[in-house]
Amino acid sequence: MSQGGQEGEAALSPRQSLFVGVTLFSMFFGAGNLILPPLLGVQAGRETLPALLGFLVAGVGLPVLGIVAVALSGTLRELAARVHPRFARVFVALVYLAIGPCLAIPRTASTAFEMLAPLLPQDWPLEAARLAFSLVFFSLAFALAMRPGRLTRLLGRVTGPALILLIVAVVAASLAGLASAASAPSAPAVAPYDANAAVQGFLTGYQTMDLLASLTFGLVIATNVRSLGVTEQGGVMREVCRAGAIAGVLMVAVYGGLAVVGFEQCEALAGATNGAAVITASATQHFGTAGTIVVAAIFLLACLNVCIGLISCCGSYFADELPRVTYRGCAIAIAAFSCAVANLGLDAILDLSATLLGALYPIAIVLVTLGMLRRRADRAPRVWAWTVVVAAVVSAAEVVCDALALPALPLPLADVGLGWVCPVLVAALLAFMVPNNARKELT
């Protein structure tokens, strides 16, 4: 009885809970996330609402569950080790590669350049300008990653609030524009939202990469909660869930507002291919050239700050995994590789991310689901390996078929990119139905 009372007393104050929730939101909040919802609004047109709902499930709901699943398990590696220790090592490395040099880090430079491009002279060769910009950008990011110190803290304190104020201003202007318009935009949805808008919104949510990022955030948030005086496991989980709810509400507000920005521009920017151009066009329309300059400056600083953090995080991870390589060597390699990828351009990076994340996300979704149901899943331990292997094989096959323009796999939901779902459910069912002795023989 007293133990329950002690656990009940172990709780953060409302102010502390809000602080932890905002901290989690800031960990998710990057300039790259801002370019997806506006493009969704432009391309989905009249189907913006169902597309946005699907996007929120993948871009907000799954990351919040990922935070909780990892906090329950301890660390990402401990969660993935329930499948197999070797799988855990490979999967964690893939997560860091995805949120690091392969996708997220190059996207910071590409997004920043897209915001600056409208300010460049018309006669400047775009590819040469992109190369010069990326070389300077990554050289500066690498130098600051070696000495993060006061400058990066200042950038975080200045650009975070400034970016939020910018979003509020642009969203408010878009809402005012919609309210004063004689009629709401009525552009029809275009690919990929012209069929199954909600499902396509869900798949677009993969590109936030927030589910993968959340798998590395859970331990950090749980540690922060414990440092504030909550030590009982039940209390820690309650506060982690509360922080996830706060961060989720903030992300829903940001994503919803940015989708409105795109929806307002869906007729004027029907051919847009990335959200950076949509935000720039909206800021220019409502605030003139000054708006474009402010947007570019704030995005540049925000992207630089995120890039520094990711180089530092990934450099530390790979330096630990590769004892013969120093942190400095890892950071140089990450910055150089990211610079090369960034010169493919933002559109190419988004296409690449759709392909790679299409293979990686189903595995992460299965892991998070099992992590949330770990007590039941542990009754049939092989359910971890069976479902993850099936998810990996089917999703990889789907990605190959899509990349080579081959017909969709003959599986339910394969035509909408979710062909892995039913096979995973079948694998899970079999793992629970097969007797324990038979499971051992099969594995």
Side-chain angles (χ1 to χ4, degrees):
M1 189 74 175
S2 60
Q3 185 177 356
Q6 290 175 356
E7 185 174 340
E9 294 174 2
L12 300 181
S13 68
R15 183 176 180 179
Q16 288 175 318
S17 293
L18 180 62
F19 171 77
V20 176
V22 172
T23 298
L24 177 56
F25 168 74
S26 67
M27 293 170 72
F28 282 122
F29 190 74
N33 300 73
L34 301 177
I35 65 179
L36 296 171
L39 184 61
L40 179 149
V42 168
Q43 295 180 334
R46 290 193 295 261
E47 299 297 321
T48 294
L49 182 57
L52 178 62
L53 291 176
F55 179 86
L56 293 177
V57 171
V60 179
L62 289 178
V64 170
L65 293 179
I67 289 286
V68 177
V70 172
L72 285 170
S73 299
T75 65
L76 171 57
R77 179 160 289 185
E78 289 173 349
L79 174 63
R82 292 173 181 263
V83 178
H84 193 279
R86 290 183 181 176
F87 166 80
R89 186 166 189 174
V90 172
F91 181 74
V92 173
L94 289 175
V95 168
Y96 275 96
L97 287 172
I99 65 173
C102 290
L103 297 177
I105 294 178
R107 194 167 68 178
T108 61
S110 295
T111 300
F113 179 77
E114 289 292 334
M115 306 306 287
L116 288 172
L119 301 174
L120 298 177
Q122 294 291 331
D123 57 344
W124 279 31
L126 200 60
E127 295 303 321
R130 179 182 287 112
L131 176 60
F133 173 82
S134 60
L135 287 172
V136 173
F137 183 91
F138 283 109
S139 296
L140 182 58
F142 167 75
L144 293 175
M146 293 297 100
R147 301 175 182 84
R150 295 182 178 180
L151 181 56
T152 54
R153 288 198 296 270
L154 176 62
L155 289 175
R157 291 172 183 171
V158 172
T159 58
L163 198 54
I164 292 173
L165 290 175
L166 168 68
I167 293 170
V168 171
V170 173
V171 170
S174 296
L175 288 172
L178 288 172
S180 62
S183 60
S186 58
V190 299
Y193 302 102
D194 50 348
N196 300 303
V199 174
Q200 291 303 323
F202 178 82
L203 296 176
T204 299
Y206 285 11
Q207 295 188 46
T208 65
M209 289 183 274
D210 282 345
L211 173 58
L212 301 183
S214 74
L215 298 178
T216 66
F217 292 167
L219 178 62
V220 176
I221 294 300
T223 301
N224 286 345
V225 169
R226 291 188 180 95
S227 70
L228 292 173
V230 179
T231 56
E232 294 286 342
Q233 181 64 16
V236 171
M237 285 310 307
R238 182 176 60 252
E239 296 301 336
V240 168
C241 292
R242 188 175 297 171
I246 293 171
V249 169
L250 292 174
M251 287 193 290
V252 167
V254 170
Y255 288 150
L258 290 172
V260 169
V261 173
F263 177 69
E264 187 207 14
Q265 302 286 332
C266 65
E267 294 177 345
L269 298 176
T273 55
N274 68 72
V278 177
I279 296 177
T280 300
S282 181
T284 303
Q285 175 183 327
H286 295 295
F287 305 109
T289 304
T292 307
I293 294 173
V294 172
V295 167
I298 292 175
F299 265 69
L300 172 61
L301 293 176
C303 289
L304 181 62
N305 202 36
V306 171
C307 183
I308 294 166
L310 289 175
I311 289 177
S312 178
C313 175
C314 295
S316 297
Y317 168 77
F318 285 108
D320 289 340
E321 289 293 302
L322 306 170
R324 295 184 180 180
V325 184
T326 64
Y327 166 74
R328 183 181 183 86
C330 288
I332 291 174
I334 290 170
F337 184 83
S338 299
C339 183
V341 176
N343 277 277
L344 297 175
L346 183 57
D347 291 348
I349 291 173
L350 293 177
D351 289 340
L352 176 63
S353 67
T355 299
L356 295 180
L357 296 175
L360 200 55
Y361 244 70
I363 301 172
I365 293 172
V366 171
L367 275 178
V368 168
T369 302
L370 293 177
M372 296 297 296
L373 304 172
R374 72 193 192 290
R375 291 183 180 177
R376 291 190 177 183
D378 286 344
R379 295 175 187 172
R382 299 304 177 185
V383 71
W384 294 84
W386 291 12
T387 54
V388 166
V389 168
V390 169
V393 171
V394 176
S395 60
E398 285 191 297
V399 165
V400 171
C401 289
D402 185 61
L404 300 179
L406 298 175
L409 298 176
L411 295 169
L413 303 178
D415 57 329
V416 293
L418 297 174
W420 58 272
V421 174
C422 288
V424 165
L425 292 176
V426 171
L429 183 62
L430 290 175
F432 279 97
M433 291 179 62
V434 175
N436 287 333
N437 291 338
R439 286 193 203 111
K440 292 179 181 179
E441 292 175 3
L442 288 171
T443 56

